[in-house]
Amino acid sequence: MRKLLNTIYVTNEQAYLTLDGENLVCKVEGVEKLRIPFENIENVVCFNYVGCSPALMGKCVSKTIPINFISPQGKFLAKVCGETKGNVFLRVAQIDKFRENGLKLAQNTIAAKFSNTRQLIRRTLHDNAALREDLQIKAVVNVLDEGIDKLYEVNSIEEVMGIEGNCAQNFFSIFDSLITNQKVPFTFEFRSKRPPLDPINAVLSFVYTLLTSEYAAALETVGLDSYIGFCHALRSGRASLACDMVEEARCIAERFVITLLNLQVIGEKDFEKQVSGAVWLNEEGRKKVLTRWQEKKRTDMVHPFLKVKIPLGLLPYVQSNLLAKYVRGDLEAYPPYLVK
């Protein structure tokens, strides 16, 4: 169990939460591991199978502390909460804040995306000396550098997204070069989304979808509406805010896919091609990717803003919490995720 920004994250799948007076108590196999006074809690997020006691749920409802249940794979399941007036006010504040400061949010988020993409490329160059003099890769790094500067010269979100599209296209033009294992039986020519037209695009789309769904679940736990964003246009059925926030973390998904390919975790037998030309991971391929993704989420990282060590899988929840604090006025600016 971990406390961050007054939110309790229960990451041990065998943990059980119970009530003791004015304290929330976490037990694992009947042994008390931690207790926290309710006055220090704003939100509870459970990734566990065992759950919590009805007495605790009742106490949290009386104190308007929501308890969110998330599957260990990151899918939002349910929320136990009291009156919803708090969420209503937060949602109104979200709309007002995005209308007032949407451009600045978009600029900072996409700038963080470019910076993180640049760090991904530099990490590959650090590990592969033969690529350091590649002129195309150097040109793409320069495009990303220039893109960051251009973001703060424009006056509309549409222009921001235009710059984002150009930089993304440039990045994917060298993506195949970042897959350094010559035994990988696939090549990557360009990004194809709906549908993916080759195995590498299929894995990218699958992992992007996993990460976006985890951000949507995280936004739900803090009371923000994942369908009201500041970058992506509103569209019925699309979690636009989750799509916005995942931009700064795409480097994690991309690095993960590059590692899967370089280690040859997935191969030709893990895909199926449709008559339409679409290429998808088959059941065995999805199982391999999901297993490695769960392992990846359990690895520790130092959060660049909080300066504390957290499991990578909690990043969407921490960023959503920071955004909610910004919307409520507790933070002067939203700090996007930046790879150091």
Side-chain angles (χ1 to χ4, degrees):
M1 191 164 85
R2 186 181 297 266
K3 178 172 174 284
L4 294 167
L5 300 169
N6 290 331
T7 294
I8 303 300
Y9 296 98
V10 184
T11 55
N12 187 318
E13 295 175 14
Q14 301 306 314
Y16 182 72
L17 301 185
T18 187
L19 174 68
D20 184 9
E22 292 298 314
N23 299 288
L24 179 150
V25 177
C26 176
K27 295 182 179 180
V28 177
E29 297 180 348
V31 179
E32 182 176 319
K33 296 295 184 180
L34 189 69
R35 65 170 52 221
I36 299 178
F38 282 105
E39 63 185 21
N40 295 329
I41 302 173
E42 293 179 356
N43 198 4
V44 179
V45 181
C46 297
F47 295 88
N48 56 338
Y49 288 119
V50 183
C52 56
S53 72
L56 175 66
M57 288 190 279
K59 184 73 167 181
C60 287
V61 165
S62 69
K63 289 183 170 290
T64 63
I65 299 172
I67 303 177
N68 302 269
F69 294 98
I70 312 292
S71 76
Q73 291 72 39
K75 180 181 179 181
F76 180 83
L77 300 174
K79 175 186 286 189
V80 177
C81 56
E83 296 182 54
T84 59
K85 62 181 181 181
N87 282 357
V88 170
F89 289 130
L90 181 62
R91 193 159 300 183
V92 171
Q94 174 184 345
I95 295 170
D96 290 343
K97 188 74 78 170
F98 289 178
R99 283 176 175 170
E100 180 182 355
N101 298 316
L103 176 59
K104 180 60 68 177
L105 279 167
Q107 290 169 323
N108 291 343
T109 297
I110 301 304
K113 175 184 180 176
F114 292 168
S115 176
N116 293 342
T117 300
R118 187 174 57 190
Q119 289 298 99
L120 183 156
I121 295 171
R122 287 173 176 169
R123 177 177 172 180
T124 302
L125 298 183
H126 178 271
D127 296 339
N128 299 272
L131 294 177
R132 293 173 193 168
E133 299 305 317
D134 187 300
L135 296 180
Q136 188 178 6
I137 292 178
K138 287 184 175 181
V140 170
V141 172
N142 288 335
V143 168
L144 293 170
D145 289 338
E146 293 170 2
I148 293 174
D149 294 332
K150 289 178 180 177
L151 286 172
Y152 295 97
E153 297 172 359
V154 301
N155 299 309
S156 71
I157 294 174
E158 289 74 19
E159 291 174 287
V160 168
M161 298 310 289
I163 296 170
E164 185 276 333
N166 177 63
C167 287
Q169 184 177 21
N170 273 270
F171 168 63
F172 283 119
S173 73
I174 63 161
F175 193 80
D176 195 60
S177 299
L178 305 181
I179 303 168
T180 54
N181 188 337
Q182 300 302 313
K183 295 181 180 180
V184 175
F186 316 119
T187 57
F188 181 93
E189 295 182 14
F190 57 89
R191 179 77 178 113
S192 56
K193 304 177 184 178
R194 292 178 286 273
L197 300 176
D198 60 70
I200 296 178
N201 270 298
V203 184
L204 278 170
S205 291
F206 184 65
V207 179
Y208 285 152
T209 299
L210 291 176
L211 191 56
T212 303
S213 67
E214 288 167 12
Y215 268 94
L219 289 164
E220 182 71 31
T221 68
V222 298
L224 291 173
D225 191 331
S226 64
Y227 291 87
I228 301 174
F230 52 83
C231 268
H232 291 82
L234 300 183
R235 182 186 300 170
S236 179
R238 180 171 73 179
S240 295
L241 183 54
C243 292
D244 293 344
M245 296 193 66
V246 84
E247 293 292 351
E248 62 197 39
R250 282 186 184 272
C251 61
I252 296 172
E254 289 150 3
R255 184 69 196 179
F256 174 72
V257 171
I258 290 170
T259 300
L260 286 182
L261 293 167
N262 281 333
L263 295 179
Q264 292 186 283
V265 173
I266 49 178
E268 293 177 282
K269 295 181 179 179
D270 296 315
F271 299 89
E272 56 185 37
K273 188 170 184 177
Q274 307 294 316
V275 176
S276 63
V279 177
W280 304 102
L281 282 159
N282 59 26
E283 183 176 353
E284 184 62 28
R286 289 194 298 272
K287 187 184 300 183
K288 289 180 181 179
V289 174
L290 284 169
T291 299
R292 291 299 183 110
W293 182 245
Q294 288 301 105
E295 293 174 0
K296 176 74 173 176
K297 285 163 58 178
R298 285 191 284 267
T299 61
D300 286 337
M301 59 168 284
V302 176
H303 191 274
F305 181 75
L306 299 182
K307 309 299 183 186
V308 296
K309 188 179 290 187
I310 64 170
L312 182 63
L314 286 188
L315 180 63
Y317 295 85
V318 174
Q319 292 304 125
S320 297
N321 208 329
L322 290 170
L323 181 62
K325 287 184 176 296
Y326 166 67
V327 168
R328 289 196 299 262
D330 298 335
L331 288 175
E332 290 186 6
Y334 165 68
Y337 169 63
L338 274 172
V339 177
K340 300 295 185 182

